[in-house]
């Protein structure tokens, strides 16, 4: 089967909310890391892009729909 890439975008507001809910998490990314990531020029992304700002079930559904297109 051919490779199919899924790129997950997230709004800064959603990322900040997720970061604020973390406790005893292995990630050292804090709000400053999320803010920095928003400034990156990622260029032309040709993968299927989904908005992963919603709750995980909605993001998974969006990815599944993209895979069937």
């Amino acid at each position: 089967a051919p490779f199919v890439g899924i790129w997950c975008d997230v709004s800064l507001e959603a990322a900040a909310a997720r970061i604020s809910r973390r406790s005893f998490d292995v990630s050292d990314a804090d709000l400053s890391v999320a803010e920095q990531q928003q400034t990156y020029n990622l260029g032309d992304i040709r993968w299927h892009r989904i908005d992963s700002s919603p709750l995980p079930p909605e993001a998974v559904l969006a990815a599944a729909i993209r895979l069937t297109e």
Side-chain angles (χ1 to χ4, degrees):
F3 174 80
V4 177
I6 299 288
W7 184 269
C8 298
D9 288 309
V10 65
S11 69
L12 181 57
E13 294 78 18
R18 291 176 188 166
I19 291 167
S20 71
R21 290 192 300 266
R22 285 188 196 152
S23 62
F24 306 108
D25 192 280
V26 297
S27 176
D28 58 356
D30 59 12
L31 184 55
S32 67
V33 172
E35 291 170 338
Q36 178 69 35
Q37 290 173 332
Q38 295 289 320
T39 68
Y40 296 158
N41 179 357
L42 302 175
D44 184 27
I45 298 173
R46 295 176 183 258
W47 291 12
H48 295 283
R49 294 180 84 148
I50 63 166
D51 179 8
S52 62
S53 297
L55 296 174
E58 287 85 1
V60 169
L61 177 60
I65 290 169
R66 290 294 185 146
L67 290 173
T68 61
E69 292 179 338

